Amino acid sequence: MAGELLLEIGIALTGIALAGALAYRVGLSVIPAYILAGILIGPNEPTSVAGIPLTLVDYGEFIDVVAELGIVFLLFFLGLEFSVGQLLGDRTRIAKIGSVDFVVNFGLGLGLGFAFSFTVVQTLFIAGIVYISSSAVVTKSLIDNGWVANAESGPILGTLVFEDILIAVYLAVLSAVAFGGGSVTEAAASVGAAFAFLGALALVAWYGTAHIERLFDATSDELFLLRILGVTTLVAGAALTAGLSEAVAAFFVGTAFSATSHTERIEHVVSPARDFFAAVFFFAIGLTTDITLLAGVAWLLVAALVATTVGKVVSGTLSGRVYGLDATRSLRVGIGLVPRGEFSLVLAALAAGSGSGVLQNVIPAFAVGYVLVMSILGTVLMQNSEVITDRIGNW
């Protein structure tokens, strides 16, 4: 049993490595390559070509946990670039751009749901799936494209933080509505507990700099790495248990380190672990994708891709203007928010577990196809943003 599992992990890592090498060779982002590798050797169709079986890796608990760590450490590193004071200073602008993003993109989701004759509950799932950008995909693209230190990262980050906090509330409310067993009081208690946890975390990040400086002052890189991995994973796991986004929690852990002298050492010692976990996360998206289900939701998919890509570019461009950026940088903000990912899949899983018919079949199929295309499209758009903004500027 252990031998089979080890063999499967080895195949998965080799597939990821080959896909990444191929992407680098042709000059493309590694994210689509990792996702496509997961599709090709995962448990869903195509499972064979010319009679040769291609299913080499199943989506198991090991892949699931490592993929979660991918989200956690991508957001941890993003948090390193910011402080709680900086976020509090930007709270008014974050509220403005988050509201614009929500009105435009959640509104488009509601329009799509009603246009395709879904019920109110089904429409709420559609709206949530198309509304929220992928923190993991966007963060990885920011790092790969060297945007983290650019002015565009401010409104992009503000929008992601707003979305991740809002989705924690939305998941609690939608769960109560979809399953029908939860009351408004229970949903409110769940949201309150999640925000109490978040508040405590923010206080530690704000006041605990001196303690964090001493606690992580290890002479050995090995011990330093283990402390960072241990504490970040522990806090993210506790947040997830409390009903809060593990990504938001990891982001605040990163902010706690941003004011210490450990940031440069974290970049040097911990970033290889981050890249490993992130690669498995994108590979896992491919493993869960069944492309044969896409035919049944083709028209909904096409409508959503067109409408919500335009919606994110428009709302992101407006957000850039709120931050005082010029037209080119504002457009790059919009392009940077196009990818969708992990939370859309969480909503799809919630829909599948909360009902039958459309909720169990149509919405998960739509979500998987939507995330696949939007994650690839978003990374390609970010990679070619200079070409896009130059051409638009010349019109």
Side-chain angles (χ1 to χ4, degrees):
M1 184 64 184
E4 291 177 5
L5 179 59
L6 195 60
L7 180 62
E8 195 169 337
I9 293 171
I11 292 171
L13 296 181
T14 303
I16 293 170
L18 290 173
L22 183 61
Y24 274 113
R25 178 66 64 89
V26 298
L28 293 176
S29 166
V30 294
I31 295 174
Y34 294 155
I35 295 173
L36 291 174
I39 293 174
L40 286 176
I41 64 176
N44 298 304
E45 295 286 352
T47 55
S48 67
V49 171
I52 301 173
L54 296 177
T55 303
L56 300 174
V57 178
D58 271 322
Y59 186 80
E61 191 173 356
F62 175 81
I63 296 286
D64 188 27
V65 172
V66 177
E68 280 292 338
L69 290 174
I71 301 171
V72 166
F73 283 97
L74 281 170
L75 269 293
F76 168 80
F77 269 79
L78 195 58
L80 277 182
E81 303 293 330
F82 298 88
S83 66
V84 173
Q86 188 177 349
L87 289 175
L88 290 174
D90 268 351
R91 61 186 182 280
T92 303
R93 290 193 298 187
I94 289 174
K96 284 181 182 176
I97 64 175
S99 300
V100 169
D101 175 62
F102 178 78
V103 169
V104 173
N105 297 289
F106 192 83
L108 283 172
L110 292 178
L112 281 168
F114 291 128
F116 281 81
S117 302
F118 290 113
T119 66
V120 172
V121 173
Q122 293 160 1
T123 297
L124 290 174
F125 276 104
I126 294 288
I129 288 168
V130 303
Y131 156 57
I132 190 164
S133 299
S134 168
S135 298
V137 179
V138 173
T139 303
K140 173 69 172 168
S141 297
L142 287 175
I143 294 169
D144 287 350
N145 292 292
W147 286 22
V148 172
N150 292 355
E152 293 92 323
S153 66
I156 290 176
L157 171 71
T159 304
L160 292 180
V161 170
F162 186 95
E163 286 182 347
D164 283 358
I165 292 174
L166 182 63
I167 204 68
V169 179
Y170 193 69
L171 281 172
V173 174
L174 196 56
S175 297
V177 172
F179 285 102
S183 66
V184 175
T185 304
E186 288 171 339
S190 174
V191 172
F195 276 85
F197 183 92
L198 189 62
L201 202 56
L203 288 175
V204 171
W206 181 258
Y207 293 108
T209 301
H211 298 292
I212 293 168
E213 190 81 57
R214 286 195 301 274
L215 286 172
F216 288 85
D217 189 20
T219 54
S220 160
D221 282 349
E222 179 182 345
L223 295 179
F224 181 74
L225 173 66
L226 288 172
R227 290 181 192 183
I228 297 291
L229 295 183
V231 167
T232 307
T233 305
L234 184 65
V235 174
L240 201 57
T241 304
L244 185 68
S245 161
E246 76 279 26
V248 173
F251 174 82
F252 274 94
V253 175
T255 64
F257 283 95
S258 66
T260 70
S261 63
H262 297 309
T263 52
E264 189 174 339
R265 193 178 186 187
I266 290 172
E267 292 280 355
H268 176 68
V269 175
V270 187
S271 57
R274 173 204 65 196
D275 293 340
F276 167 72
F277 293 137
V280 176
F281 166 74
F282 296 113
F283 178 75
I285 290 179
L287 290 183
T288 60
T289 300
D290 184 351
I291 58 175
T292 63
L293 299 176
L294 303 185
V297 293
W299 288 114
L300 173 61
L301 198 54
V302 170
L305 293 175
V306 174
T308 62
T309 299
V310 174
K312 276 292 179 185
V313 171
V314 169
S315 64
T317 302
L318 292 172
S319 299
R321 302 303 274 181
V322 170
Y323 268 68
L325 304 184
D326 61 29
T328 299
R329 288 188 181 276
S330 295
L331 181 57
R332 280 155 61 98
V333 172
I335 292 171
L337 289 167
V338 167
R340 310 302 204 275
E342 60 278 5
F343 283 113
S344 300
L345 297 176
V346 169
L347 282 165
L350 180 63
S354 63
S356 59
V358 171
L359 281 177
Q360 193 174 52
N361 300 313
V362 176
I363 289 178
F366 163 72
V368 167
Y370 181 72
V371 167
L372 173 65
V373 177
M374 293 301 277
S375 58
I376 293 174
L377 175 65
T379 54
V380 171
L381 287 176
M382 284 185 76
Q383 196 174 23
N384 295 280
S385 63
E386 288 191 15
V387 176
I388 296 169
T389 52
D390 286 346
R391 289 189 177 180
I392 291 177
N394 291 328
W395 286 355

